[in-house]
Amino acid sequence: MGKTTVSVNLAYALARRGWNTLLVDTDPQGSVGLSLSEKARKCQGFYDVVHSGISPLPLILPTRLPELNILTAGQSHHFFGSAPESSDGLAALRRIVAELSSRPFDLIIFDTPAGLTGSSGDVLRLADSVLIPQQAEPLGIRSIPQMLQAIQYLRNHGSKLEVAGILMTMVQADQKESTEVVRELRALVPAQLLCQTTIPRDPIFLKASAAGVPLGLLHRQPPAAAHVFDQLAAELEPRLHLNSPDSANEFTRLMD
Ligand SMILES: Nc1ncnc2c1ncn2[C@@H]1O[C@H](COP(=O)(O)OP(=O)(O)O)[C@@H](O)[C@H]1O
Ligand SMILES: [Mg+2]
């Protein structure tokens, strides 16, 4: 749980930091579109592109931020109607990625459904990096080693997939069970795979998804949890090989 929330808020944070970001919803239940706007929900998107062979480029929706664009899941009857063979899905995804690369995106974030099959599996086969959001609950973390094995399998079979990080979400710092799980996970996986940043459980997320906005747009002064995603974005930039030109690393004088 928490994948779509992380995708939307991280995409927003990275775009705010200047990276030209495309968020692609590959969940047939269209959760990015659902959480963002009524209008976005009715648009054609990813699954229409997969099934009809049309170009994704005209379906990319701009947002309030010039650096953030969205390709919604589109009309899921395509998915539930005649699901293509997995290999067709992979070929379609390869074509989509190739077409998207004609636009100057610094990164493309794919929000996937749960699991390793279907569109999630296809995305993993073609992606450069994967961020694994994991709810801080005891049963959940047991699937992490399995997930890492699956990734290793893909790497052994020609994929370049790297783990950008395992991100603990819905962490309750005041609950022993929750902090215990974080500790348990640290023992379970190599330390460098765990993100330093953790996402707290906070009712503000429900409010933001009801309003259909990233946390950063919920109020004029964004809530504290919004800044967690700025921290996550900064942490992930080197892991995602997002390198600023040297000129961007010069300090700015406070006064002339
Ligand atoms: N850190 C969090 N704290 C509280 N609620 C959250 C948090 N992250 C997600 N949620 C809520 O949990 C529900 C499922 O989250 P979502 O991101 O859609 O999960 P997924 O995409 O993995 O199914 C949503 O209602 C969302 O608002
Ligand atoms: Mg989701």
Side-chain angles (χ1 to χ4, degrees), residues 61-149:
L61 303 176
T63 70
R64 182 173 295 275
L65 285 185
E67 292 83 7
L68 180 58
N69 288 273
I70 295 181
L71 180 63
T72 65
Q75 302 309 310
S76 56
H77 60 83
H78 282 309
F79 181 85
F80 295 111
S82 56
E85 292 301 313
S86 165
S87 57
D88 294 348
L90 187 60
L93 186 63
R94 198 167 273 131
R95 170 181 70 82
I96 292 168
V97 170
E99 290 201 49
L100 292 175
S101 68
S102 70
R103 292 271 304 261
F105 295 118
D106 294 311
L107 82 160
I108 303 178
I109 296 178
F110 290 89
D111 180 27
T112 66
L116 295 168
T117 57
S119 55
S120 304
D122 294 338
V123 169
L124 284 177
R125 280 182 175 80
L126 296 188
D128 299 309
S129 306
V130 57
L131 177 66
I132 307 173
Q134 180 56 57
Q135 192 177 344
E137 52 106 18
L139 285 178
I141 62 164
R142 293 193 197 154
S143 63
I144 294 274
Q146 227 179 335
M147 179 86 186
L148 296 178
Q149 276 170 16

Coordinates of all heavy atoms in Angstrom, one line a residue, residues 61-149:
L61 N -0.9 14.7 -20.5 CA -1.6 15.8 -20.0 C -0.6 16.7 -19.2 O 0.2 16.2 -18.4 CB -2.7 15.3 -19.0 CG -3.7 14.4 -19.6 CD1 -4.7 14.0 -18.4 CD2 -4.5 15.1 -20.7
P62 N -0.7 18.0 -19.5 CA 0.1 18.9 -18.7 C -0.5 19.1 -17.3 O -1.6 18.8 -17.1 CB 0.1 20.2 -19.5 CG -1.3 20.2 -20.2 CD -1.6 18.7 -20.4
T63 N 0.3 19.6 -16.4 CA -0.2 20.0 -15.0 C 0.1 21.4 -14.8 O 0.8 22.1 -15.6 CB 0.4 19.1 -13.9 OG1 1.8 19.5 -13.7 CG2 0.3 17.6 -14.3
R64 N -0.2 21.9 -13.6 CA 0.1 23.2 -13.1 C 1.6 23.5 -13.2 O 2.0 24.6 -13.4 CB -0.4 23.4 -11.7 CG -0.2 24.7 -11.1 CD -1.0 24.7 -9.7 NE -2.4 24.6 -9.9 CZ -3.2 25.6 -10.2 NH1 -2.7 26.8 -10.2 NH2 -4.5 25.4 -10.3
L65 N 2.4 22.4 -12.9 CA 3.9 22.6 -13.0 C 4.3 22.2 -14.4 O 4.0 21.1 -14.9 CB 4.5 21.6 -12.1 CG 4.6 21.8 -10.6 CD1 5.4 20.7 -10.0 CD2 5.1 23.1 -10.3
P66 N 5.0 23.1 -15.1 CA 5.5 22.8 -16.5 C 6.4 21.6 -16.5 O 6.4 20.9 -17.5 CB 6.3 24.1 -16.9 CG 6.0 25.1 -15.9 CD 5.4 24.5 -14.6
E67 N 7.1 21.3 -15.4 CA 8.0 20.1 -15.4 C 7.3 18.8 -15.1 O 7.9 17.8 -15.1 CB 9.1 20.3 -14.3 CG 10.1 21.4 -14.6 CD 9.6 22.8 -14.2 OE1 8.5 22.9 -13.6 OE2 10.2 23.8 -14.5
L68 N 6.0 18.8 -14.8 CA 5.2 17.6 -14.5 C 4.1 17.3 -15.5 O 3.3 18.1 -15.7 CB 4.6 17.7 -13.1 CG 3.8 16.4 -12.6 CD1 4.7 15.2 -12.6 CD2 3.3 16.6 -11.2
N69 N 4.2 16.2 -16.2 CA 3.2 15.7 -17.1 C 2.7 14.4 -16.7 O 3.4 13.6 -16.0 CB 3.8 15.7 -18.5 CG 4.0 17.1 -19.1 OD1 3.2 17.7 -19.7 ND2 5.2 17.6 -18.9
I70 N 1.5 14.0 -17.2 CA 0.9 12.8 -16.7 C 0.3 12.0 -17.9 O -0.3 12.7 -18.8 CB -0.2 13.1 -15.7 CG1 0.4 13.6 -14.4 CG2 -1.0 11.8 -15.3 CD1 -0.5 13.9 -13.3
L71 N 0.6 10.7 -18.0 CA -0.2 9.9 -18.9 C -1.1 9.0 -18.0 O -0.6 8.2 -17.2 CB 0.8 9.0 -19.7 CG 0.2 8.0 -20.7 CD1 -0.6 8.8 -21.8 CD2 1.3 7.2 -21.4
T72 N -2.4 9.2 -18.1 CA -3.3 8.4 -17.2 C -3.4 7.0 -17.7 O -2.9 6.6 -18.8 CB -4.7 9.0 -17.2 OG1 -5.2 8.9 -18.5 CG2 -4.6 10.5 -16.8
A73 N -4.1 6.2 -16.9 CA -4.2 4.7 -17.3 C -5.2 4.6 -18.5 O -5.1 3.7 -19.3 CB -4.8 4.0 -16.1
G74 N -6.1 5.6 -18.6 CA -7.0 5.6 -19.8 C -8.2 4.7 -19.5 O -8.6 4.5 -18.3
Q75 N -8.7 4.1 -20.5 CA -10.0 3.4 -20.4 C -9.8 1.9 -20.1 O -9.3 1.2 -21.0 CB -10.9 3.7 -21.6 CG -11.1 5.2 -21.9 CD -11.6 5.9 -20.6 OE1 -12.6 5.4 -20.0 NE2 -11.0 7.0 -20.3
S76 N -10.1 1.5 -18.9 CA -9.6 0.2 -18.5 C -10.5 -0.9 -19.1 O -10.1 -2.1 -18.9 CB -9.7 0.1 -16.9 OG -11.0 0.5 -16.5
H77 N -11.6 -0.6 -19.8 CA -12.3 -1.7 -20.4 C -11.4 -2.4 -21.4 O -11.6 -3.6 -21.6 CB -13.6 -1.2 -21.1 CG -13.3 -0.2 -22.2 ND1 -13.0 -0.6 -23.5 CD2 -13.3 1.2 -22.2 CE1 -12.8 0.5 -24.2 NE2 -13.0 1.6 -23.5
H78 N -10.4 -1.7 -21.9 CA -9.4 -2.4 -22.8 C -8.7 -3.5 -22.0 O -8.5 -4.6 -22.5 CB -8.3 -1.4 -23.2 CG -8.8 -0.6 -24.3 ND1 -9.4 -1.0 -25.5 CD2 -8.7 0.8 -24.5 CE1 -9.6 0.0 -26.3 NE2 -9.3 1.1 -25.7
F79 N -8.4 -3.2 -20.8 CA -7.7 -4.2 -19.9 C -8.6 -5.3 -19.6 O -8.2 -6.5 -19.7 CB -7.2 -3.5 -18.7 CG -6.4 -4.4 -17.8 CD1 -5.0 -4.6 -18.0 CD2 -7.0 -5.1 -16.8 CE1 -4.3 -5.4 -17.2 CE2 -6.2 -5.9 -16.0 CZ -4.9 -6.1 -16.2
F80 N -9.8 -5.0 -19.2 CA -10.7 -6.1 -18.7 C -11.3 -6.9 -19.9 O -11.6 -8.0 -19.8 CB -11.7 -5.6 -17.8 CG -11.2 -5.0 -16.5 CD1 -11.2 -3.6 -16.3 CD2 -10.6 -5.8 -15.6 CE1 -10.6 -3.1 -15.1 CE2 -10.0 -5.3 -14.4 CZ -10.0 -4.0 -14.2
G81 N -11.4 -6.2 -21.0 CA -12.0 -6.8 -22.2 C -11.1 -7.9 -22.7 O -11.2 -9.1 -22.3
S82 N -10.1 -7.5 -23.6 CA -9.3 -8.6 -24.2 C -7.8 -8.3 -23.8 O -7.1 -7.6 -24.4 CB -9.4 -8.5 -25.7 OG -9.1 -7.2 -26.1
A83 N -7.5 -8.8 -22.6 CA -6.1 -8.6 -22.2 C -5.2 -9.3 -23.2 O -5.4 -10.4 -23.6 CB -5.9 -9.3 -20.8
P84 N -4.2 -8.5 -23.6 CA -3.2 -9.1 -24.6 C -2.3 -10.1 -23.9 O -2.2 -10.1 -22.7 CB -2.4 -7.9 -25.0 CG -2.5 -7.0 -23.9 CD -3.8 -7.2 -23.2
E85 N -1.7 -11.0 -24.7 CA -0.7 -11.9 -24.1 C 0.4 -11.0 -23.5 O 0.6 -9.9 -24.0 CB -0.1 -12.8 -25.2 CG -1.1 -13.8 -25.8 CD -1.6 -14.7 -24.7 OE1 -0.8 -15.3 -24.0 OE2 -2.8 -14.9 -24.7
S86 N 1.0 -11.6 -22.5 CA 2.0 -10.8 -21.8 C 3.1 -10.3 -22.7 O 3.6 -9.1 -22.6 CB 2.6 -11.6 -20.7 OG 3.8 -11.0 -20.2
S87 N 3.5 -11.1 -23.7 CA 4.6 -10.7 -24.6 C 4.1 -9.5 -25.5 O 4.9 -8.6 -25.8 CB 5.0 -11.9 -25.5 OG 3.8 -12.3 -26.2
D88 N 2.8 -9.5 -25.8 CA 2.3 -8.3 -26.6 C 2.4 -7.1 -25.7 O 2.7 -6.0 -26.2 CB 0.8 -8.5 -27.0 CG 0.6 -9.7 -27.9 OD1 1.7 -10.1 -28.5 OD2 -0.5 -10.1 -28.1
G89 N 2.0 -7.2 -24.4 CA 2.1 -6.1 -23.5 C 3.5 -5.6 -23.5 O 3.7 -4.4 -23.5
L90 N 4.5 -6.5 -23.4 CA 5.9 -6.0 -23.3 C 6.3 -5.3 -24.6 O 6.9 -4.3 -24.5 CB 6.8 -7.3 -23.1 CG 8.2 -7.0 -22.8 CD1 8.4 -6.1 -21.6 CD2 9.0 -8.3 -22.6
A91 N 5.9 -5.9 -25.8 CA 6.2 -5.2 -27.0 C 5.6 -3.9 -27.1 O 6.2 -2.9 -27.5 CB 5.8 -6.1 -28.2
A92 N 4.3 -3.8 -26.7 CA 3.6 -2.5 -26.7 C 4.3 -1.5 -25.8 O 4.5 -0.3 -26.1 CB 2.2 -2.7 -26.3
L93 N 4.7 -1.9 -24.6 CA 5.4 -1.1 -23.7 C 6.8 -0.6 -24.2 O 7.1 0.6 -24.1 CB 5.7 -1.8 -22.3 CG 6.2 -0.9 -21.2 CD1 5.3 0.2 -20.9 CD2 6.5 -1.7 -20.0
R94 N 7.5 -1.5 -24.9 CA 8.7 -1.1 -25.6 C 8.5 0.0 -26.6 O 9.2 1.0 -26.6 CB 9.4 -2.3 -26.2 CG 10.8 -2.2 -26.5 CD 11.5 -3.5 -26.8 NE 11.9 -4.2 -25.7 CZ 11.7 -5.5 -25.4 NH1 10.9 -6.2 -26.3 NH2 12.2 -6.1 -24.4
R95 N 7.4 -0.1 -27.4 CA 7.1 0.9 -28.4 C 6.8 2.2 -27.7 O 7.2 3.3 -28.1 CB 5.9 0.4 -29.2 CG 5.3 1.5 -30.1 CD 4.1 1.0 -30.9 NE 2.9 0.7 -30.1 CZ 2.1 1.7 -29.8 NH1 2.3 2.9 -30.1 NH2 1.0 1.4 -29.0
I96 N 6.0 2.1 -26.6 CA 5.6 3.4 -25.9 C 6.8 4.1 -25.3 O 7.0 5.3 -25.5 CB 4.6 3.0 -24.7 CG1 3.3 2.5 -25.3 CG2 4.4 4.2 -23.8 CD1 2.3 1.8 -24.3
V97 N 7.7 3.3 -24.7 CA 8.9 3.9 -24.1 C 9.7 4.6 -25.2 O 10.2 5.7 -25.0 CB 9.7 2.9 -23.3 CG1 11.1 3.5 -22.9 CG2 9.0 2.5 -22.1
A98 N 9.9 3.9 -26.4 CA 10.6 4.5 -27.5 C 10.0 5.8 -27.9 O 10.7 6.8 -28.2 CB 10.7 3.5 -28.6
E99 N 8.7 5.8 -28.0 CA 8.0 7.0 -28.5 C 8.1 8.2 -27.5 O 8.4 9.3 -27.8 CB 6.5 6.8 -28.8 CG 6.3 5.9 -30.0 CD 4.9 6.1 -30.6 OE1 4.5 7.2 -30.8 OE2 4.3 5.0 -30.9
L100 N 8.1 7.8 -26.2 CA 8.2 8.8 -25.1 C 9.6 9.4 -25.1 O 9.8 10.6 -24.7 CB 7.8 8.2 -23.8 CG 6.4 7.8 -23.6 CD1 6.2 7.1 -22.2 CD2 5.4 9.0 -23.7
S101 N 10.6 8.6 -25.5 CA 11.9 9.1 -25.5 C 12.2 10.3 -26.5 O 13.2 10.9 -26.4 CB 12.9 8.0 -25.6 OG 12.9 7.5 -27.0
S102 N 11.2 10.5 -27.4 CA 11.4 11.6 -28.3 C 11.1 13.0 -27.6 O 11.3 14.0 -28.1 CB 10.5 11.5 -29.5 OG 9.1 11.7 -29.1
R103 N 10.5 12.9 -26.4 CA 10.2 14.1 -25.6 C 11.3 14.2 -24.5 O 11.8 13.2 -24.0 CB 8.9 14.0 -24.9 CG 7.7 14.0 -25.8 CD 7.2 15.4 -26.1 NE 6.8 16.1 -24.9 CZ 5.6 16.3 -24.4 NH1 4.6 15.8 -25.1 NH2 5.3 16.9 -23.3
P104 N 11.7 15.5 -24.2 CA 12.9 15.6 -23.3 C 12.6 15.4 -21.8 O 12.8 16.3 -21.0 CB 13.3 17.1 -23.6 CG 12.0 17.8 -23.9 CD 11.1 16.7 -24.6
F105 N 12.1 14.2 -21.5 CA 11.9 13.9 -20.1 C 13.2 13.5 -19.4 O 14.0 12.8 -20.0 CB 10.9 12.8 -19.9 CG 9.5 13.2 -20.4 CD1 8.9 12.5 -21.4 CD2 8.8 14.2 -19.8 CE1 7.6 12.8 -21.9 CE2 7.5 14.6 -20.2 CZ 6.9 13.9 -21.3
D106 N 13.4 14.0 -18.2 CA 14.6 13.6 -17.4 C 14.3 12.2 -16.8 O 15.2 11.4 -16.6 CB 14.9 14.6 -16.3 CG 15.4 15.9 -16.8 OD1 16.3 15.9 -17.7 OD2 14.8 16.9 -16.4
L107 N 13.0 12.0 -16.4 CA 12.7 10.6 -15.9 C 11.2 10.4 -16.1 O 10.4 11.3 -16.3 CB 13.1 10.5 -14.4 CG 12.1 11.0 -13.4 CD1 12.4 10.3 -12.1 CD2 12.3 12.5 -13.2
I108 N 10.9 9.1 -16.2 CA 9.5 8.6 -16.3 C 9.2 7.7 -15.2 O 9.9 6.8 -14.9 CB 9.3 7.9 -17.7 CG1 9.7 8.7 -18.9 CG2 7.8 7.4 -17.8 CD1 9.6 8.0 -20.2
I109 N 8.2 8.1 -14.4 CA 7.8 7.3 -13.2 C 6.6 6.5 -13.6 O 5.6 7.0 -14.0 CB 7.5 8.2 -12.0 CG1 8.7 8.9 -11.6 CG2 6.9 7.3 -10.9 CD1 8.5 9.9 -10.4
F110 N 6.7 5.1 -13.5 CA 5.5 4.3 -13.8 C 4.9 3.9 -12.4 O 5.6 3.2 -11.6 CB 5.9 3.0 -14.5 CG 6.4 3.3 -15.9 CD1 7.7 3.6 -16.3 CD2 5.4 3.2 -17.0 CE1 8.1 3.8 -17.6 CE2 5.8 3.4 -18.3 CZ 7.1 3.7 -18.6
D111 N 3.7 4.2 -12.2 CA 2.9 3.7 -11.0 C 2.3 2.4 -11.5 O 1.6 2.4 -12.5 CB 1.9 4.7 -10.6 CG 1.1 4.2 -9.4 OD1 1.6 3.5 -8.6 OD2 -0.1 4.6 -9.3
T112 N 2.6 1.3 -10.8 CA 2.1 0.0 -11.2 C 1.1 -0.6 -10.2 O 1.0 -0.1 -9.1 CB 3.3 -1.0 -11.3 OG1 3.8 -1.2 -10.0 CG2 4.4 -0.5 -12.2
P113 N 0.3 -1.5 -10.7 CA -0.5 -2.3 -9.7 C 0.5 -3.1 -8.9 O 1.6 -3.3 -9.2 CB -1.4 -3.2 -10.6 CG -0.9 -3.0 -12.0 CD 0.2 -2.0 -12.1
A114 N -0.1 -3.8 -7.8 CA 0.7 -4.6 -7.0 C 1.2 -5.9 -7.7 O 0.6 -6.2 -8.7 CB -0.1 -5.0 -5.7
G115 N 2.2 -6.5 -7.3 CA 2.6 -7.8 -7.8 C 3.7 -7.6 -8.9 O 4.1 -6.5 -9.2
L116 N 4.1 -8.8 -9.4 CA 5.2 -8.8 -10.4 C 4.7 -9.3 -11.8 O 5.5 -9.5 -12.7 CB 6.3 -9.8 -9.9 CG 7.0 -9.3 -8.6 CD1 7.8 -10.4 -8.0 CD2 7.8 -8.1 -8.9
T117 N 3.4 -9.5 -11.9 CA 2.9 -10.0 -13.2 C 2.2 -8.9 -14.0 O 2.2 -7.8 -13.5 CB 1.9 -11.2 -12.9 OG1 0.8 -10.6 -12.1 CG2 2.5 -12.3 -12.2
G118 N 1.8 -9.2 -15.2 CA 1.0 -8.3 -16.0 C 1.9 -7.0 -16.3 O 3.1 -7.1 -16.5
S119 N 1.2 -5.9 -16.2 CA 1.9 -4.6 -16.6 C 3.1 -4.4 -15.6 O 4.1 -3.8 -16.0 CB 0.9 -3.5 -16.7 OG 0.2 -3.3 -15.5
S120 N 2.9 -4.8 -14.3 CA 4.1 -4.5 -13.4 C 5.3 -5.3 -13.9 O 6.4 -4.7 -13.9 CB 3.7 -5.1 -12.0 OG 2.6 -4.5 -11.5
G121 N 5.1 -6.5 -14.3 CA 6.3 -7.3 -14.8 C 6.9 -6.7 -16.0 O 8.1 -6.6 -16.1
D122 N 6.0 -6.2 -16.9 CA 6.5 -5.6 -18.2 C 7.3 -4.4 -17.9 O 8.4 -4.1 -18.4 CB 5.3 -5.3 -19.1 CG 4.6 -6.5 -19.6 OD1 5.2 -7.6 -19.6 OD2 3.4 -6.4 -20.0
V123 N 6.8 -3.5 -16.9 CA 7.5 -2.3 -16.6 C 8.9 -2.6 -16.0 O 9.9 -2.0 -16.3 CB 6.6 -1.4 -15.6 CG1 7.5 -0.3 -15.0 CG2 5.4 -0.9 -16.3
L124 N 8.9 -3.6 -15.1 CA 10.1 -4.0 -14.4 C 11.2 -4.5 -15.5 O 12.4 -4.2 -15.3 CB 9.9 -5.1 -13.4 CG 9.3 -4.7 -12.1 CD1 9.0 -5.9 -11.2 CD2 10.2 -3.7 -11.4
R125 N 10.7 -5.2 -16.5 CA 11.6 -5.7 -17.5 C 12.3 -4.5 -18.3 O 13.4 -4.7 -18.8 CB 10.9 -6.6 -18.5 CG 10.7 -8.0 -17.9 CD 10.0 -8.9 -19.0 NE 10.0 -10.2 -18.4 CZ 9.1 -10.7 -17.5 NH1 8.2 -9.9 -17.1 NH2 9.2 -11.9 -17.0
L126 N 11.6 -3.4 -18.4 CA 12.1 -2.3 -19.3 C 12.7 -1.2 -18.5 O 13.4 -0.3 -19.0 CB 11.1 -1.8 -20.2 CG 10.5 -2.8 -21.2 CD1 9.6 -2.1 -22.2 CD2 11.7 -3.5 -22.0
A127 N 12.4 -1.1 -17.2 CA 12.8 0.0 -16.4 C 14.3 0.0 -16.1 O 15.0 -1.1 -16.1 CB 12.0 0.1 -15.1
D128 N 14.9 1.2 -15.8 CA 16.3 1.3 -15.3 C 16.3 1.1 -13.8 O 17.3 0.5 -13.3 CB 16.8 2.7 -15.6 CG 16.8 2.9 -17.1 OD1 17.3 2.1 -17.8 OD2 16.3 4.0 -17.5
S129 N 15.3 1.6 -13.1 CA 15.3 1.5 -11.6 C 13.9 1.2 -11.1 O 13.0 1.5 -11.7 CB 15.7 2.9 -11.0 OG 16.9 3.3 -11.5
V130 N 13.9 0.6 -9.9 CA 12.6 0.4 -9.2 C 12.7 0.9 -7.8 O 13.7 0.7 -7.1 CB 12.2 -1.1 -9.3 CG1 13.3 -2.0 -8.6 CG2 10.9 -1.3 -8.5
L131 N 11.7 1.7 -7.4 CA 11.6 2.1 -6.0 C 10.5 1.2 -5.4 O 9.4 1.0 -6.0 CB 11.1 3.5 -5.9 CG 10.9 4.1 -4.5 CD1 12.1 4.1 -3.7 CD2 10.2 5.5 -4.6
I132 N 10.8 0.5 -4.3 CA 9.8 -0.4 -3.7 C 9.2 0.2 -2.4 O 9.8 0.1 -1.4 CB 10.6 -1.8 -3.4 CG1 11.3 -2.3 -4.6 CG2 9.6 -2.8 -2.8 CD1 12.2 -3.5 -4.3
P133 N 8.0 0.7 -2.5 CA 7.4 1.2 -1.3 C 6.8 0.0 -0.5 O 6.2 -0.9 -1.1 CB 6.2 2.1 -1.8 CG 6.3 2.1 -3.3 CD 7.1 0.9 -3.7
Q134 N 7.1 0.0 0.8 CA 6.6 -1.1 1.6 C 6.0 -0.6 2.9 O 6.6 0.1 3.6 CB 7.8 -2.0 1.9 CG 7.4 -3.2 2.8 CD 6.3 -4.1 2.1 OE1 6.5 -4.5 1.0 NE2 5.2 -4.2 2.8
Q135 N 4.7 -0.9 3.0 CA 4.0 -0.5 4.2 C 4.7 -1.2 5.4 O 5.0 -2.3 5.4 CB 2.6 -1.0 4.1 CG 1.7 -0.4 5.2 CD 0.2 -0.8 5.0 OE1 -0.2 -1.4 3.9 NE2 -0.6 -0.6 6.0
A136 N 4.8 -0.4 6.5 CA 5.5 -0.9 7.7 C 4.5 -1.8 8.5 O 4.0 -1.4 9.5 CB 6.0 0.3 8.6
E137 N 4.3 -2.9 8.0 CA 3.5 -3.9 8.8 C 4.2 -5.3 8.6 O 4.7 -5.6 7.6 CB 2.0 -3.9 8.4 CG 1.8 -4.0 6.9 CD 1.3 -5.4 6.5 OE1 0.8 -6.1 7.5 OE2 1.3 -5.8 5.4
P138 N 4.1 -6.1 9.7 CA 5.0 -7.3 9.8 C 4.8 -8.3 8.6 O 5.9 -8.8 8.1 CB 4.5 -8.0 11.1 CG 3.8 -6.9 11.9 CD 3.3 -5.9 10.9
L139 N 3.6 -8.5 8.1 CA 3.5 -9.5 7.1 C 4.1 -9.0 5.7 O 4.7 -9.8 5.0 CB 2.0 -9.9 6.8 CG 1.4 -10.8 7.9 CD1 -0.1 -11.0 7.6 CD2 2.1 -12.1 8.0
G140 N 3.9 -7.7 5.5 CA 4.3 -7.1 4.3 C 5.8 -7.3 4.0 O 6.2 -7.7 2.8
I141 N 6.6 -7.1 5.0 CA 8.1 -7.1 4.7 C 8.6 -8.5 4.3 O 9.7 -8.6 3.7 CB 8.9 -6.5 5.8 CG1 8.8 -7.3 7.1 CG2 8.6 -5.1 6.0 CD1 9.9 -7.0 8.1
R142 N 7.8 -9.5 4.6 CA 8.3 -10.9 4.3 C 8.4 -11.1 2.8 O 9.1 -12.0 2.3 CB 7.4 -11.9 4.9 CG 7.5 -11.9 6.4 CD 6.8 -13.1 7.0 NE 6.6 -12.8 8.4 CZ 5.6 -13.4 9.1 NH1 4.8 -14.3 8.6 NH2 5.5 -13.1 10.4
S143 N 7.7 -10.3 2.0 CA 7.7 -10.5 0.6 C 8.9 -9.8 -0.1 O 9.2 -10.0 -1.3 CB 6.4 -10.0 -0.1 OG 6.3 -8.6 0.2
I144 N 9.6 -9.0 0.7 CA 10.7 -8.2 0.1 C 11.8 -9.1 -0.4 O 12.3 -8.8 -1.5 CB 11.2 -7.2 1.2 CG1 10.2 -6.1 1.5 CG2 12.5 -6.5 0.7 CD1 10.1 -4.9 0.6
P145 N 12.3 -10.1 0.3 CA 13.4 -10.9 -0.2 C 13.0 -11.6 -1.5 O 13.8 -11.7 -2.5 CB 13.6 -11.9 0.9 CG 13.2 -11.3 2.1 CD 12.0 -10.4 1.7
Q146 N 11.7 -12.0 -1.6 CA 11.2 -12.6 -2.8 C 11.2 -11.6 -4.0 O 11.6 -11.9 -5.1 CB 9.7 -12.9 -2.6 CG 9.3 -14.3 -3.0 CD 7.8 -14.4 -2.7 OE1 7.3 -13.8 -1.7 NE2 7.1 -15.3 -3.4
M147 N 10.9 -10.3 -3.7 CA 10.9 -9.3 -4.7 C 12.3 -9.1 -5.2 O 12.6 -8.9 -6.4 CB 10.4 -8.0 -4.0 CG 10.4 -6.8 -4.8 SD 8.8 -6.7 -5.8 CE 9.1 -5.3 -6.8
L148 N 13.3 -9.1 -4.2 CA 14.7 -8.9 -4.6 C 15.2 -10.0 -5.5 O 16.0 -9.8 -6.4 CB 15.5 -8.7 -3.4 CG 15.2 -7.4 -2.5 CD1 16.1 -7.4 -1.3 CD2 15.4 -6.1 -3.4
Q149 N 14.7 -11.2 -5.2 CA 15.1 -12.4 -6.0 C 14.6 -12.3 -7.4 O 15.3 -12.6 -8.4 CB 14.5 -13.7 -5.4 CG 15.4 -14.2 -4.3 CD 14.7 -15.4 -3.5 OE1 13.7 -15.9 -4.0 NE2 15.3 -15.7 -2.4

